[in-house]
Amino acid sequence: MIKDIPAPTLQRLPLYYRELRLASQNGTEFLSSQELGNRVGVPAVQVRKDLSNLAEQGRPGVGYHTTRLADYLERYLGLNRDKRAVLVGAGNLGRALALFPGFGNYGMQIVALFDKNPDVIGTQVGDLVVRSITELGNSVKCLNVPIGIITTPAEAAQTVAEAMIRCGIRAIWNFSPCKLEVEDGIFVRNEDLAAQLSVLSHHVQKMRLSEDENSR
Amino acid sequence: MIKDIPAPTLQRLPLYYRELRLASQNGTEFLSSQELGNRVGVPAVQVRKDLSNLAEQGRPGVGYHTTRLADYLERYLGLNRDKRAVLVGAGNLGRALALFPGFGNYGMQIVALFDKNPDVIGTQVGDLVVRSITELGNSVKCLNVPIGIITTPAEAAQTVAEAMIRCGIRAIWNFSPCKLEVEDGIFVRNEDLAAQLSVLSHHVQKMRLSEDENSR
DNA sequence: TAGATTGTTAATCGATTAACAATC
DNA sequence: TAGATTGTTAATCGATTAACAATC
């Protein structure tokens, strides 16, 4: 049985992983929860609590073995295994993600790009050629792709998601600004840049207002 | 005095805003918390609790006035006011964000791009020419820019953030995979795509493991 | 007035933090 | 052994959910 850990904890694990790997590469053998917490920006207790969910343990009086824990987290997060992904929506954002080399470090490889727009279909993006969305089914089924990335406008996203799921995709990274309705067992991660921008915008707004207040 | 609302609530406001604006444009005059909640994927009680933080009220028995509430949220989130931004790190992701038209709808305009790499400096990205990072100070100061976007590698991010803050930037959208150390009053929003990908990766991993288990 | 739906107070839930015994 | 640091139990905090009186 695989124990579920709380979502907030799960979100912090990649941060711990990154610092542990870095420390390991720099020749640091052990890191205390205090030190790791400093680097990630999380209290030491939180670090210990989070890591106590895992099978790999720390050593009292010494700390966590950087290499061992990094390796463990790598496996736990599945970063060591290759994961194919397809991307639908080859606009600016889609093309950028397809070209982003950083994802390779996390075991993800974008193997196909799709779009609806005839002007975009057939164009080259890095090593890939944008294909027609109508070909999605065939490609995904025979390539055994677990991940779908959606970078279409909001109107198209639901339809695309359903098509992806029909082809066996089980995890969706949704960059389009809308809620996807999916059945249980399908994992959706929303990456709503406009919503994030709104939060940023609110803070700028708030600062402006308080400046106005102070200058009165 | 400007009342602070809880962070989770603040993050949901842009979602409400989007649906309210859409409904307003479609000619729907009122939306109940039930209906709005459905569209955003949040329980009706949560919607009411969230919106009760705002000055704009709903009408018992009727619901929320879509146009009025959308307008209110637009002002509250500062989406109606133009916000200039500079972007440092004109790699694939940086160029994509610079070209992304969607941000305009949220009042953000990227007014300058900077990079360290001489091969990139001077190249054209949309209407803008990538400038040398050494020019950051002059440009930002005379343009009154409140927002900085960081799309550099992790090693450079802290230095870039400090330079931004010295020039008067007060809100940073950090796409680089690292923690930024900044003084109080500077708002930082991390958009760590690799960390998000790790969460996605974990779920794929988990599904694989449970499939293995079932097939035993 | 009856029905619908809000805003708010109180109850629940879950995550973070504090305290501390266990262990290297 | 003394000092450092873990893992865990209990206390706190804050957000979500439930219940319901107020109001259109």
Side-chain angles (χ1 to χ4, degrees), chain A residues 1-2 4 10-11 14-15 18 38-41 75-83 92-93 96-97 99-101 103 106 108 146-147 170-173 175 177-179 181 185 187 189 191-210 212-213, chain B residues 1-2 4 10-11 14-15 18 38-41 75-83 92-93 96-97 99-101 103 106 108 146-147 170-173 175 177-179 181 185 187 189 191-210 212-213:
Chain A
M1 211 260 336
I2 299 145
D4 270 354
L10 182 57
Q11 304 234 37
L15 312 183
R18 187 149 57 214
N38 279 154
R39 300 192 186 183
V40 169
R75 286 194 310 278
Y76 186 80
L77 296 171
L79 303 176
N80 57 328
R81 296 188 57 174
D82 287 334
K83 291 169 292 294
N92 284 314
L93 187 60
L97 294 178
L99 291 170
F100 192 50
F103 292 146
Y106 294 82
M108 187 175 80
I147 298 178
R170 288 295 168 261
I172 294 177
W173 203 1
F175 284 80
C178 73
K179 188 198 159 210
E181 299 282 355
F187 181 74
R189 185 100 212 147
E191 198 79 43
D192 189 335
L193 295 182
Q196 299 300 320
L197 174 55
S198 300
V199 175
L200 215 68
S201 170
H202 170 70
H203 279 266
V204 171
Q205 172 77 350
K206 219 173 54 174
M207 282 183 302
R208 280 172 171 164
L209 291 177
S210 65
D212 290 357
E213 236 176 35
Chain B
M1 211 258 336
I2 299 144
D4 270 354
L10 183 56
Q11 304 234 38
L15 312 184
R18 187 149 57 215
N38 278 155
R39 301 192 185 182
V40 169
R75 284 194 310 277
Y76 186 80
L77 297 172
L79 303 177
N80 57 328
R81 297 189 55 175
D82 287 333
K83 290 168 292 294
N92 286 312
L93 187 61
L97 294 178
L99 291 170
F100 191 51
F103 293 146
Y106 295 83
M108 187 176 79
I147 297 178
R170 289 294 167 266
I172 294 177
W173 204 1
F175 285 80
C178 72
K179 188 197 158 209
E181 299 283 355
F187 181 75
R189 186 97 211 148
E191 198 79 44
D192 190 335
L193 295 182
Q196 300 298 323
L197 173 55
S198 299
V199 175
L200 213 69
S201 170
H202 170 70
H203 280 266
V204 171
Q205 172 77 350
K206 219 173 54 174
M207 281 183 302
R208 280 173 172 165
L209 291 176
S210 66
D212 290 359
E213 236 175 34

Side-chain angles (χ1 to χ4, degrees), chain B residues 103-120:
Chain B
F103 293 146
N105 300 332
Y106 295 83
M108 187 176 79
Q109 189 202 357
I110 298 181
V111 294
L113 304 179
F114 298 91
D115 206 294
K116 198 167 72 174
N117 183 348
D119 296 345
V120 176

Side-chain angles (χ1 to χ4, degrees), chain B residues 28-42:
Chain B
T28 307
E29 209 177 345
F30 288 92
L31 228 46
S32 68
S33 58
Q34 187 57 252
E35 183 53 33
L36 183 53
N38 278 155
R39 301 192 185 182
V40 169
V42 152

Side-chain angles (χ1 to χ4, degrees), chain A residues 152-164:
Chain A
T152 65
E155 309 83 70
Q158 182 64 37
T159 313
V160 168
E162 285 164 16
M164 284 176 165

Side-chain angles (χ1 to χ4, degrees), chain B residues 140-154:
Chain B
V140 172
K141 274 177 196 153
C142 58
L143 288 171
N144 184 27
V145 178
I147 297 178
I149 304 174
I150 301 180
T151 48
T152 65

